[in-house]
Amino acid sequence: MAGGGFVDGQGGARAEYYEYKITWYFIFASIVAALGGSLFGYDLGVSGGVTSMDYFLKEFFHEVYKRKQEHLKETDYCKYDNQLLTLFTSSLYFAALLSTFIASHVTRNKGRKASILCGAVSFFSGAILNAFAQNIAMLIIGRCLLGIGIGFSNQAVPLYLSEMAPAKIRGAVNQLFQLTTCLGIFIANFVNNATEKHPKGWRLSLGLATVPATLMFVGGLFLPETPNSLVEQGRLEEGRKVLERVRGTTKVDAEFEDLIEASEAAKAIKHPFRNLLKRKNRPQLVIGALGIPAFQQLTGMNSVLFYAPVIFQSLGFGSGAALWSSTITTGSLVVATLISMAFVDKFGRRAFFLEAGFEMVCCMVAVAVTLALKFGQGVVLSKGIGIFLVVVISLFVLGYGRSWGPLGWLVPSEIFPLETRSAGQSMVVCVNMLFTALIAQCFLISLCHLKYGIFLVFAGLIVIMSLFIYFLLPETKQVPIEEIHLLWQEHWFWKRYCEPEDQVQQVGRKVEHV
């Protein structure tokens, strides 16, 4: 992708002249930036495991610990229903939601690199506070600092990767963010497995979050700023040098001209958040800023990630078996992301959304039916049924991991024009974190009251979001960001909002003439 993001009615035809080579400089920048995903992933993986550890519960949530021991080997949907315990998880996402608006200002005015570094520092501070927490207040404050770090990194990293990547491989490069997220979850599960038996093991699990934060900060010091951001800041000469180095060629005139045009258009926008509400930006607002980030959480996947050990223990698995079962499911997530990276630029975004959506619906229905037939207080699930549930949930994760997981970040990052890109990404993160927090806060109580019905609710939501994609999202694979505005102009629904400027002006002149 090269990046301009905005092209007027006369532009958008130079993308065919873009040239690039895959350079080591580009590879280094992409890998280091993608480490931002490991912050999000490690926390997703570690928090669910820690909240199921006996020593952690005994120290901070004794009521939950007592209830768990009373129903240790039984199916009991309500054993973890405690709003203070879920606040431990969800507080991070409420903090991320609020911090993303500050991150938007930093990302636009100081650059993507600055936001990445701020995110690493805040996340490191939160990890230290959690590791040495002596009471619930310290835990919650630490979680909020972690959330601020995630708000900054999730705001900046997808933008950074999309702006650095050539159009033909933008999908795969952007999904490095999802890959490191999945690897973070996967590693966190192994850490939890290793530490759960030790009285202070939960402290080590939480404290090791400093490792990805340190790697991200140290690597971030050597990151180049994106050419898009440098041009946006008026550093044209520096921007061209970085573009030439990233692309591995001096023949970047066409791409650099698009960057300058986009920057000039962006500078004319004094209120980017208000600009998102304009009629011509309706597709980006509805699809990128609202629809996709909300639906990504309503798949139910993060409920599985947050509470996989808790879910498996609620269904009668032992503590160790529950952690290993969740490790298997998160391993499926890593495999799915690699599949998506390999084929998303070949088969396209829509194909992955739709076929995986069908698979996910089937899995949610299978889980609900199995639990409906076998649910009951005091009923111990058989080994065969337990294995079946792990397999079905793993298949669900495989579907999510090649569709709504990576594409939920990829598609919004590539459809916003430059003048609203940082504001748009802030809305993406804000909506994503809002629904993440709500799911985290409400899932356990919903599991308690709806029982197996919660999985039918998720199945119904996946049907709705698949229809949303089918009717409203055009295919964006291998389309340079500078030309994505043309997709809206040709779309059966969005073309009424996104007519070319010259047509709008002609209509205006006709009205005046009449």
Side-chain angles (χ1 to χ4, degrees), residues 154-155 158-159 162 170 174 276 283-296 349 353 403-418 420-429 431-432 468-469 473 476 481 484 488:
N154 284 20
Q155 209 275 344
L159 288 185
S162 283
R170 185 175 65 240
N174 185 275
L276 269 177
Q284 295 93 323
L285 176 66
V286 173
I287 295 176
L290 300 176
I292 287 180
F295 284 143
Q296 186 189 47
R349 285 61 160 153
F353 271 129
S403 60
W404 284 95
L407 302 185
W409 296 105
L410 167 60
V411 173
S413 74
E414 65 186 2
I415 66 175
F416 288 105
L418 184 60
T420 61
R421 194 172 298 162
S422 61
Q425 187 66 15
S426 282
M427 286 297 298
V428 172
V429 176
V431 172
N432 186 288
F468 175 87
I469 293 296
L473 180 67
T476 59
I481 285 182
I484 283 181
W488 312 123

Side-chain angles (χ1 to χ4, degrees), residues 315-334:
L315 300 179
F317 289 65
S319 179
L323 286 172
W324 280 111
S325 297
S326 66
T327 302
I328 293 172
T329 59
T330 53
S332 301
L333 191 60
V334 174

Side-chain angles (χ1 to χ4, degrees), residues 362-383:
C362 293
C363 291
M364 285 288 98
V365 171
V367 171
V369 170
T370 302
L371 297 181
L373 294 174
K374 297 298 179 180
F375 169 75
Q377 285 284 2
V379 174
V380 179
L381 294 179
S382 68
K383 183 178 180 180

Side-chain angles (χ1 to χ4, degrees), residues 99-153:
S99 68
T100 188
F101 293 105
I102 302 173
S104 172
H105 177 79
V106 175
T107 300
R108 180 169 184 176
N109 295 286
K110 302 299 182 181
R112 286 52 165 156
K113 176 179 176 178
S115 281
I116 290 173
L117 293 174
C118 287
V121 171
S122 181
F123 196 87
F124 183 92
S125 302
I128 292 293
L129 195 58
N130 271 178
F132 293 97
Q134 300 300 315
N135 50 56
I136 293 177
M138 288 182 69
L139 282 177
I140 299 300
I141 294 172
R143 295 288 291 172
C144 289
L145 288 172
L146 292 171
I148 292 171
I150 287 176
F152 271 83
S153 62

Side-chain angles (χ1 to χ4, degrees), residues 342-360:
F343 297 109
V344 71
D345 287 315
K346 179 179 181 181
F347 296 115
R349 285 61 160 153
R350 280 170 54 87
F352 272 60
F353 271 129
L354 297 175
E355 64 87 14
F358 176 77
E359 177 183 326
M360 292 162 69

Side-chain angles (χ1 to χ4, degrees), residues 2 19 23 126 244:
E19 295 187 22
T23 65
E244 290 177 354

Side-chain angles (χ1 to χ4, degrees), residues 207-225:
L208 284 176
T210 56
V211 175
T214 301
L215 291 174
M216 182 174 160
F217 180 81
V218 174
L221 294 175
F222 300 96
L223 276 181
E225 186 56 82

